[in-house]
Amino acid sequence: MKNLSIPILAAAVLTVGCSEEYLDCVNAWQECNCPPSGPAIAAAEATYDLCIENCPVLDPNSPEQQQLAAGRCIKACGDARNEAIEEATACQEECDDEFDECTGAILGCSDPTSTQYLVQLSISNWGANDPLVDPQHGFFLCEDHFPPFSMERNEVVQAIQQYDQVEGSDIGFFALSQPHQDKSALFADPPTVSTFDYVDNANDSFVHACHPDNTTACFDNDALGIDGFAINTCSYADGEWSGDGDREFVAITANANCYTYFTDPTSSDYVREVSALHEFGHAAGMAHSPVDEQIYISTMQGNLKYLSAYDVKFLRDHYSRYTGPNRDFVASSKIRIDFGGANPIIDTFAKENPDRLYLVGDVVYDCSTQAPAVFYAAWFNTGEDDQEADHCMINELRLEQPSAAHEAKIVSWHAAQMPSESQDQWVGGSNTVASDFVGLSRGVDIDLVFEVNVYEQYRERSTNNIVRTPVKLYDTSACVPPSPLPPAPVAPIRKIGATSYDITAQYLNQVTANPLAVARGVTVVPAPVAGLGLGLKLKAIEEGSPLFLMGAQVGDILWRVDGQPITGLGTAISALNKVKNGGTVVIGYVRGSMMRSASYKKR
């Protein structure tokens, strides 16, 4: 239960048709006398900022143990902030729990529930491997093959960050740097750090601790007795590599024979985020998922570029920040529905649902079929608690137009009582009121939204209850916008990823023709980057200036362009000319105490 407004609570009452008893629960919740959490949260954030300032900068030239100490300091600051915020909000959470208990007995399901696709998926024991001794774990990435601020390193760092950002888990991975190591160093006995590097089995004769035949093969071949690998995670436990017991250190190694990038730095054939994500799962103790055909369940089975609901559950179970049982309902971005035949539906929420819709009376139709639209949704209960038989959970599909602050329900339904560790799916048509759709614009992108536990009848441990995808709504079966829309203004520099941007050719021509324009509205001073020389610190930056559009902020220290020092305006002009000629530029900078990078290319 979150801090719902009275109108939303009233909507819940009307939807489930509850009595005065429910309103008594609402009134008791509204009267809950908790102190404001805002000041305590602000204090926690201020303390965090001061804590970070007192941490050493992560310097890749420092000894390994100093780098580890810096990484752990930053992690400790974040953990202390999170604990302070949890304490500040504890009173309101207790009130929310009392509200759940109050309403539990009167929110029974009066309609038939969806049970056709309910599947039990017990995965708590996927961790056949033992967990890490220290969940606050630094991985030393080879700086020769994962250079700082490079796209190659960014793929691995993004995978690390997914583990670090899991809500409710004490696991905290972070990236460090060291020069390339041969196998004798990577598999030292005993090791002192965990590593991520390439191994050259063809030319390095030292025995790989987890693949003693030193094969150059990239895949297994049982018929030929080949135990190959493209990338491998090898753990040190109980005093030996591949030992039993809790993991002390980990060596993740990519087979150099399987990636042309090892010998050709210009190649794009390097370790990608999806592979790194899988291997860090092994490092955390996750085994391969047990059922081959149940893809999209875990990054340990399917080719997922993100941690699934069940991967998150594993990390919470084995590295939990919480005590006691819980529920956690999760809307799935993947759809898998087996109708009893040999060809189940296996696709994404976005691709399986119709993306062009129109209304006939109170029925939503699919433009592509000219028939009533069929919608698909999937969700999980990844918690340890079953859903009580006398409780009802309501799910909903709707259209939303955030810019107009308007939404229209397509259909809602009572979900089946879900056991812990289960997955459910739903297939059906609309049950709408045409007048609700009046406020939605036609022929432009709006959102198709699926939300599980929509009125939050259950206290949950996270907020990943929603999945959405853009669709268009039309007035008639012709599915044509009523009038053409004026073209949107073209942004000269556009953010296209978490750390990537593209720049229009027109803007590149404009700026490179007038080099002084790069410095417009910007004030810089030389500033040291611990142990790594000087950079340029932004003291002021004007909104709309080139650096502002490129994502720079006051306080950033610009440090490297494609690994080379920034010496002044000439470096910036050379970089823009490279982008103008079709190249990609990576700018390294320091923000706070963290080294970061951003890449730029021509649109």
Side-chain angles (χ1 to χ4, degrees):
M1 183 71 191
K2 312 302 181 292
N3 294 322
L4 301 180
S5 65
I6 292 177
I8 293 178
L9 288 167
V13 174
L14 293 173
T15 301
V16 299
C18 294
S19 65
E20 291 294 326
E21 293 174 285
Y22 189 91
L23 293 176
D24 290 340
C25 298
V26 173
N27 291 333
W29 180 81
Q30 292 287 338
E31 294 171 0
C32 193
N33 188 23
C34 288
S37 59
I41 292 175
E45 295 290 356
T47 302
Y48 169 76
D49 292 341
L50 181 61
C51 181
I52 288 292
E53 289 178 6
N54 291 325
C55 286
V57 172
L58 283 175
D59 183 352
N61 294 323
S62 296
E64 292 173 347
Q65 297 306 316
Q66 288 187 25
Q67 290 193 58
L68 281 171
R72 289 191 175 116
C73 177
I74 293 170
K75 290 295 302 173
C77 293
D79 289 344
R81 174 186 60 182
N82 293 338
E83 290 174 7
I85 291 175
E86 287 176 10
E87 183 177 345
T89 57
C91 174
Q92 186 61 55
E93 289 181 359
E94 184 177 348
C95 292
D96 293 344
D97 288 337
E98 291 174 357
F99 179 86
D100 291 336
E101 293 175 7
C102 178
T103 58
I106 58 175
L107 280 176
C109 292
S110 57
D111 298 341
T113 59
S114 56
T115 60
Q116 182 178 359
Y117 308 109
L118 185 65
V119 178
Q120 190 78 41
L121 291 172
S122 293
I123 64 150
S124 288
N125 296 321
W126 282 19
N129 304 316
D130 295 293
L132 287 164
V133 172
D134 182 6
Q136 302 294 308
H137 211 84
F139 290 86
F140 281 84
L141 276 57
C142 163
E143 62 187 23
D144 298 291
H145 298 106
F146 304 106
F149 309 118
S150 67
M151 290 179 286
E152 296 82 9
R153 185 183 181 90
N154 192 51
E155 291 283 329
V156 178
V157 169
Q158 287 183 151
I160 286 176
Q161 289 174 343
Q162 286 201 50
Y163 285 88
D164 185 45
Q165 292 167 2
V166 172
E167 294 180 46
S169 169
D170 276 332
I171 203 150
F173 289 172
F174 52 95
L176 304 167
S177 295
Q178 67 177 9
H180 175 64
Q181 307 289 304
D182 60 20
K183 283 189 287 187
S184 64
L186 294 173
F187 299 110
D189 191 4
T192 57
V193 295
S194 291
T195 55
F196 197 131
D197 208 333
Y198 285 82
V199 291
D200 185 3
N201 285 340
N203 298 298
D204 186 346
S205 60
F206 191 88
V207 175
H208 191 294
C210 288
H211 284 272
D213 60 356
N214 276 356
T215 180
T216 58
C218 302
F219 302 98
D220 294 337
N221 189 321
D222 294 337
L224 299 177
I226 296 175
D227 182 21
F229 72 97
I231 187 168
N232 171 262
T233 298
C234 194
S235 300
Y236 188 87
D238 198 25
E240 61 179 339
W241 288 102
S242 298
D244 295 326
D246 291 352
R247 298 154 179 248
E248 300 171 56
F249 299 101
V250 174
I252 301 177
T253 53
N255 189 342
N257 195 61
C258 307
Y259 296 92
T260 56
Y261 173 76
F262 183 76
T263 54
D264 179 9
T266 65
S267 171
S268 60
D269 180 27
Y270 47 77
V271 174
R272 298 290 181 171
E273 180 180 2
V274 63
S275 299
L277 195 71
H278 180 97
E279 298 306 321
F280 285 121
H282 283 315
M286 297 171 69
H288 291 138
S289 53
V291 185
D292 289 343
E293 64 271 17
Q294 289 179 340
I295 65 171
Y296 296 146
I297 298 302
S298 168
T299 190
M300 306 311 294
Q301 181 59 47
N303 201 28
L304 296 185
K305 197 177 178 180
Y306 58 87
L307 293 174
S308 74
Y310 276 103
D311 300 327
V312 170
K313 171 182 169 48
F314 174 91
L315 297 171
R316 287 176 178 156
D317 286 350
H318 290 265
Y319 304 94
S320 181
R321 186 173 290 168
Y322 296 92
T323 58
N326 63 87
R327 299 177 196 84
D328 188 21
F329 299 106
V330 179
S332 176
S333 60
K334 299 289 184 180
I335 303 291
R336 177 191 171 87
I337 297 182
D338 190 343
F339 294 100
N343 298 308
I345 291 174
I346 303 176
D347 217 324
T348 64
F349 175 81
K351 290 183 179 179
E352 197 53 49
N353 282 292
D355 61 354
R356 298 166 67 244
L357 307 168
Y358 66 98
L359 279 177
V360 177
D362 288 338
V363 179
V364 179
Y365 274 66
D366 184 341
C367 287
S368 62
T369 64
Q370 300 287 295
V374 177
F375 298 95
Y376 300 83
W379 64 99
F380 301 97
N381 174 12
T382 65
E384 289 79 46
D385 268 8
D386 294 344
Q387 182 180 337
E388 292 92 333
D390 60 351
H391 277 50
C392 178
M393 182 174 75
I394 299 172
N395 295 348
E396 181 178 271
L397 276 164
R398 61 181 178 268
L399 295 178
E400 285 186 4
Q401 186 173 357
S403 61
H406 190 81
E407 63 182 49
K409 183 177 74 173
I410 294 176
V411 63
S412 63
W413 67 93
H414 288 134
Q417 277 76 42
M418 295 187 76
S420 62
E421 299 180 10
S422 63
Q423 176 188 17
D424 203 356
Q425 319 234 18
W426 178 89
V427 181
S430 62
N431 180 16
T432 63
V433 178
S435 59
D436 290 347
F437 289 70
V438 172
L440 295 173
S441 298
R442 276 21 179 199
V444 300
D445 279 348
I446 56 179
D447 287 342
L448 172 66
V449 176
F450 166 58
E451 183 171 3
V452 61
N453 193 20
V454 65
Y455 294 120
E456 299 183 331
Q457 296 93 327
Y458 290 95
R459 174 94 177 116
E460 295 192 54
R461 209 163 53 173
S462 65
T463 55
N464 44 7
N465 290 35
I466 290 178
V467 62
R468 63 179 67 229
T469 185
V471 299
K472 286 183 171 66
L473 178 68
Y474 299 94
D475 281 320
T476 69
S477 59
C479 293
V480 176
S483 60
L485 295 171
V490 177
I493 302 177
R494 178 180 63 181
K495 189 172 185 178
I496 58 175
T499 59
S500 56
Y501 298 78
D502 65 11
I503 309 175
T504 65
Q506 180 181 0
Y507 193 69
L508 287 166
N509 291 333
Q510 174 186 332
V511 174
T512 54
N514 179 18
L516 292 178
V518 177
R520 178 176 60 84
V522 175
T523 303
V524 298
V525 295
V529 179
L532 301 174
L534 289 175
L536 297 177
K537 186 172 184 177
L538 299 178
K539 296 292 287 183
I541 182 168
E542 181 181 308
E543 185 172 347
S545 65
L547 281 176
F548 177 87
L549 296 175
M550 292 171 74
Q553 299 179 13
V554 171
D556 288 351
I557 301 177
L558 307 181
W559 179 54
R560 289 287 190 271
V561 173
D562 285 344
Q564 300 302 312
I566 293 179
T567 56
L569 179 60
T571 308
I573 297 302
S574 297
L576 290 170
N577 275 313
K578 179 179 177 180
V579 176
K580 176 182 174 181
N581 294 326
T584 297
V585 166
V586 177
I587 296 180
Y589 62 98
V590 177
R591 178 169 294 167
S593 62
M594 298 295 291
M595 290 184 176
R596 304 187 180 190
S597 64
S599 63
Y600 301 86
K601 67 178 183 179
K602 186 177 179 180
R603 191 179 308 170

